[in-house]
Amino acid sequence: MKVEFAPLSVPLQRRLQTASVVQWVFSFLGLAQCCTAAFIALFFTRFWLVSALYAAWWFIDREKPRKGGRRIHVLRNCIVWRYMRDYFPITLMKTAELDPRQNYLVGFHPHGVLAAGAFLNFCTEASGFSLLFPGITPHLMMLSLWFRIPFFRDYVMSGGLIASDKESASYVLQKPEGGNLLAIIVGGAQEALDARPGSFTLLLKNRKGFVRLAIQHGTPLVPAFSFGENDLFDQVKNPKGSWLRRIQHWLQQIMGISLPLFHARGIFQYSFGLIPYRRPICTVVGKPIPVQKKHRPSEEEVDQVHQKYLNELSKLFEQHKAKYNIPEDSHLEFI
């Protein structure tokens, strides 16, 4: 006998979607601190052996974030990510096929405040990455700082996140069998300070390290733009030269992470809080840009490929912006 379950009511679906987003937001804002506190606190209880054994494991496993990480498919396919997808909603769109016999380097833009599109599209299966790009294994780079936090490092690695450094990138891109996609949020933490609704400013003009990396490995470059990424939060005004921007820049230099003062809606009200607005995000993955392999490219060669990348990214934005209600006179600005 076949058992059928009644569909969830709309209010219950909304609560589950909101709960999944709350879990995602606070996993990055608070879970890291909780993991550190728990690791230290266990040493002063009868369960001290748990932290002691984990410390030994942590030492043995310390290079794993630079060696492709440790994805756990059960967690990537967890239903909570589908509720998060439906909250905004978030979608993934491809404009060209990717050959699974090759490796690819994807430049993701913009960073936004918390990189929701990058996380959900490349670190979970909620938007159907494996169905859109069969045979391709995605990896997303994240600040190495996060992989120094006990327990939390294993949580982020489970989705395909790896350390953000040259060694980690090379490990993924140099695999001869192909089928790997390395996504880099090129603007990084600094670009998050300019993330606000209606902003199309990308910190990209002088960011050429990812281009040099692609040339050294002969890896095709793929531009990706996430429409709606900057619309999830409002941010306290922090124009360049202001005292707030100087403090944020100073803290970023010390800690490696930026601290945008963002706000949006609350859990039970819509006027103020840290929960993102329910605004759609569509990440559009562009066509691969062929790159000729050269171990030591000159500055001129890097500049040429970098300019081609900027042109293709701008073209991608212009071709699709009308679908997402972006004014005709709005264009990407590279700084």
Side-chain angles (χ1 to χ4, degrees):
M1 183 178 70
K2 183 178 179 181
V3 179
E4 295 185 357
F5 295 93
L8 296 176
S9 64
V10 172
L12 180 56
Q13 289 180 355
R14 286 293 182 93
R15 287 197 292 269
L16 289 171
Q17 291 166 8
T18 303
S20 68
V21 173
V22 171
Q23 179 265 335
W24 164 70
V25 171
F26 288 98
S27 68
F28 284 94
L29 295 179
L31 184 58
Q33 292 87 338
C34 292
C35 288
T36 303
F39 177 76
I40 297 173
L42 284 173
F43 275 112
F44 300 95
T45 70
R46 60 179 178 175
F47 302 106
W48 62 270
L49 188 59
V50 174
S51 286
L53 291 175
Y54 185 85
W57 161 252
W58 188 6
F59 178 78
I60 295 171
D61 195 56
R62 63 189 183 278
E63 292 299 319
K64 194 62 178 177
R66 294 184 176 87
K67 302 296 182 182
R70 185 187 301 104
R71 68 184 56 242
I72 301 175
H73 293 287
V74 172
L75 293 180
R76 282 181 58 89
N77 286 279
C78 184
I79 191 172
V80 69
W81 306 129
R82 295 198 288 275
Y83 285 125
M84 176 180 166
R85 172 200 64 195
D86 295 337
Y87 172 87
F88 295 99
I90 295 178
T91 55
L92 179 65
M93 173 183 172
K94 71 175 180 181
T95 60
E97 298 292 338
L98 298 185
D99 187 350
R101 295 170 296 180
Q102 281 192 305
N103 296 317
Y104 296 91
L105 196 160
V106 172
F108 182 92
H109 315 273
H111 183 286
V113 172
L114 293 179
F119 174 79
L120 193 131
N121 287 317
F122 297 118
C123 298
T124 81
E125 287 296 332
S127 56
F129 181 91
S130 295
L131 296 176
L132 280 175
F133 302 104
I136 302 293
T137 301
H139 302 267
L140 178 65
M141 300 195 84
M142 186 181 191
L143 283 175
S144 300
L145 167 70
W146 298 107
F147 296 96
R148 299 171 189 167
I149 301 173
F151 305 123
F152 186 76
R153 67 190 292 274
D154 301 282
Y155 166 68
V156 295
M157 277 197 295
S158 69
L161 285 157
I162 59 175
S164 180
D165 55 43
K166 187 175 181 180
E167 178 186 354
S168 180
S170 296
Y171 182 87
V172 173
L173 297 178
Q174 69 187 4
K175 290 187 175 181
E177 66 274 17
N180 287 288
L181 181 150
L182 178 64
I184 301 178
I185 307 177
V186 182
Q190 188 175 345
E191 190 176 80
L193 298 177
D194 290 313
R196 49 178 47 85
S199 173
F200 302 106
T201 300
L202 302 181
L203 188 61
L204 187 56
K205 189 175 182 179
N206 295 313
R207 299 249 168 153
K208 303 176 182 179
F210 74 106
V211 174
R212 185 180 299 275
L213 188 67
I215 296 175
Q216 290 173 342
H217 292 278
T219 305
L221 280 165
V222 183
F225 192 86
S226 197
F227 292 90
E229 192 74 46
N230 282 340
D231 297 337
L232 304 187
F233 297 94
D234 291 314
Q235 189 172 165
V236 175
K237 291 183 178 180
N238 58 343
K240 292 183 179 179
S242 65
W243 64 270
L244 177 57
R245 189 60 168 253
R246 288 196 294 268
I247 291 175
Q248 290 174 323
H249 183 65
W250 176 68
L251 290 173
Q252 181 191 344
Q253 289 180 321
I254 295 175
M255 299 185 296
I257 58 175
S258 63
L259 297 172
L261 298 181
F262 62 90
H263 59 90
R265 52 160 288 192
I267 299 175
F268 303 110
Q269 44 76 33
Y270 299 93
S271 58
F272 187 83
L274 297 179
I275 308 305
Y277 296 119
R278 299 182 72 117
R279 294 172 180 170
I281 297 174
C282 182
T283 301
V284 181
V285 180
K287 299 177 182 178
I289 303 171
V291 174
Q292 185 175 0
K293 184 176 182 179
K294 189 170 185 179
H295 183 61
R296 292 182 179 178
S298 65
E299 291 297 330
E300 291 75 17
E301 290 170 325
V302 172
D303 288 342
Q304 288 178 2
V305 176
H306 182 260
Q307 186 58 52
K308 187 174 183 179
Y309 179 87
L310 296 182
N311 294 339
E312 289 298 322
L313 178 60
S314 296
K315 183 179 178 182
L316 181 72
F317 178 81
E318 296 295 333
Q319 287 177 339
H320 296 274
K321 67 180 184 181
K323 302 175 186 176
Y324 307 105
N325 300 318
I326 296 175
E328 184 64 29
D329 60 350
S330 294
H331 309 285
L332 293 182
E333 179 185 358
F334 303 121
I335 61 172

